[in-house]
Amino acid sequence: MRRLVSIIGMVSLVMNMVALTSRVEAASFTDLSSRAKQARAKVSGLNISGWSASKKIEAIQTLGPVVLDFVGVPSLAASVKTTSGRKAVRAVYETLHGPLNDIYTGSFKRIDQMTQQVIAQDGDLEAVQDSQAYQDEQGVAARALYFLNHLNYIGSFAYDDKKKNKLLTEAMNGYSEFVVGDKASRLKNESLFFRALSERELQKFDWAVRDFELLLKQGILSADMRRKAQRALAQTRKFAKSGGKVVASPTELAQANYQKAKILIKQSRKASGKKRRTQRGQALTLILEVRKGGGKWKARADE
């Protein structure tokens, strides 16, 4: 990931895109998949040959809202736990990632061409960087990168470790483009938050804690973001202490043991001999653990 030149100057160009986060609604996966395909088809219908900056921005404005709805799907966590769900998430990710990545890399290629040309001619590099064409391409790259970051972060959960880590690293580096500078902004806060989440998934716990703490020190921070950051910081510290393993709460543990015991008892009714005795013994062990929860869990165990 190459650093965008003068990225702070591009922040105002991205903020119109960030404002879209306020309109994210709970979308069904069926609806989201259909909308992603429609958005990609619409972008494919644009004149790809010799795309102007305005055409690229039009394409990003078509794909962007679908990306944000992808981030906001409430069933995502449950979906990636099944083979069919992971496949569906990957399909949406790949549908949206292809054209967005093409736009992003295409703009950087154009920026490089302008830079290399003026260097070869021993020209005025600063003048080129101040030119409208150069700044237009930077604006396109910044807009595309904003959505690619979120897309890579969410999409990472649908892949195995190697691919997942690759996408999380790309997201982490991409979010870093928007957290430079001392000036506080909604974009900077959002990028800090998601960079920390990416770092946590990569088990870079010290980095994640640092970013969450840095976020909580920002002068401009909404109450909702503050709550999310505080909760995420507490969770990250727990993960760090447990070596990255998720430690279940007493209630979650009691619920899990209760359900396992019920399943074993049900299975034992269809078994016989040694297998039946083993299943009943395992169920009894779990039930005794559930009783330790006291209150309603003791009552359920006694049943």
Side-chain angles (χ1 to χ4, degrees), residues 118-228:
V118 74
I119 290 175
Q121 297 174 353
D122 196 23
D124 188 344
L125 183 59
E126 186 173 340
V128 172
Q129 293 175 345
D130 288 338
S131 68
Q132 189 63 52
Y134 192 97
Q135 292 185 19
D136 285 347
E137 291 298 342
Q138 278 201 316
V140 169
R143 286 175 167 90
L145 181 60
Y146 172 77
F147 292 112
L148 279 173
N149 290 342
H150 288 325
L151 199 55
N152 286 331
Y153 173 72
I154 296 298
S156 71
F157 294 98
Y159 291 91
D160 294 331
D161 288 346
K162 186 176 180 179
K163 175 77 170 183
K164 178 179 180 179
N165 289 343
K166 178 178 181 293
L167 294 182
L168 285 170
T169 299
E170 289 180 3
M172 178 183 69
N173 292 336
Y175 287 125
S176 295
E177 300 287 354
F178 298 104
V179 301
V180 295
D182 297 327
K183 187 176 181 180
S185 70
R186 179 180 173 185
L187 176 61
K188 180 177 181 179
N189 292 344
E190 180 184 288
S191 298
L192 266 174
F193 180 73
F194 278 99
R195 185 172 75 173
L197 291 179
S198 301
E199 291 163 343
R200 187 173 75 183
E201 289 298 324
L202 289 166
Q203 296 198 11
K204 299 180 183 293
F205 298 118
D206 289 345
W207 296 11
V209 168
R210 173 206 63 195
D211 275 349
F212 284 130
E213 290 178 339
L214 181 59
L215 175 58
L216 290 168
K217 292 178 182 177
Q218 296 300 302
I220 302 174
L221 195 64
S222 68
D224 182 55
M225 178 59 80
R226 185 172 296 280
R227 284 193 297 271
K228 289 180 180 179

Side-chain angles (χ1 to χ4, degrees), residues 229-295:
Q230 289 172 336
R231 184 166 60 247
L233 175 58
Q235 291 173 339
T236 302
R237 285 173 172 159
K238 286 183 179 179
F239 292 163
K241 288 180 180 179
S242 63
K245 298 177 181 179
V246 178
V247 180
S249 67
T251 299
E252 291 171 335
L253 187 60
Q255 177 69 32
N257 286 337
Y258 180 70
Q259 292 299 330
K260 289 178 184 177
K262 287 178 64 177
I263 292 172
L264 283 167
I265 291 171
K266 184 177 181 180
Q267 291 174 340
S268 72
R269 290 172 181 153
K270 300 178 181 179
S272 60
K274 183 178 179 181
K275 185 175 182 180
R276 178 187 176 93
R277 290 194 299 273
T278 299
Q279 290 175 333
R280 286 293 177 97
Q282 291 172 339
L284 178 59
T285 299
L286 290 170
I287 289 170
L288 292 174
E289 286 298 318
V290 172
R291 285 189 92 252
K292 294 178 182 179

Side-chain angles (χ1 to χ4, degrees), residues 2 40 43-44 48 51-52 55-57 59-60 63 93-111 137 140-141 144-145 148 151-152:
R2 290 167 291 180
R40 178 161 182 159
V43 169
S44 298
I48 297 177
W51 262 13
S52 64
K55 281 289 185 181
K56 294 176 184 178
I57 290 174
I60 294 171
L63 297 163
Y93 167 79
E94 291 166 2
T95 298
L96 297 169
H97 182 269
L100 269 174
N101 192 58
D102 287 346
I103 293 169
Y104 176 69
T105 55
S107 286
F108 253 124
K109 182 178 179 179
R110 176 60 180 145
I111 289 171
E137 291 298 342
V140 169
L145 181 60
L148 279 173
L151 199 55
N152 286 331

Side-chain angles (χ1 to χ4, degrees), residues 5-68:
V5 180
S6 303
I7 187 65
I8 292 300
M10 297 297 107
V11 169
S12 61
L13 298 176
V14 183
M15 287 311 295
N16 287 337
M17 295 295 185
V18 181
L20 290 171
T21 56
S22 62
R23 59 161 294 282
V24 174
E25 299 174 355
S28 69
F29 240 110
T30 301
D31 175 62
L32 187 62
S33 178
S34 176
R35 288 179 54 215
K37 292 176 181 177
Q38 290 172 4
R40 178 161 182 159
K42 184 176 179 179
V43 169
S44 298
L46 298 174
N47 182 17
I48 297 177
S49 178
W51 262 13
S52 64
S54 62
K55 281 289 185 181
K56 294 176 184 178
I57 290 174
E58 182 181 348
I60 294 171
Q61 288 174 332
T62 299
L63 297 163
V66 189
V67 173
L68 295 181

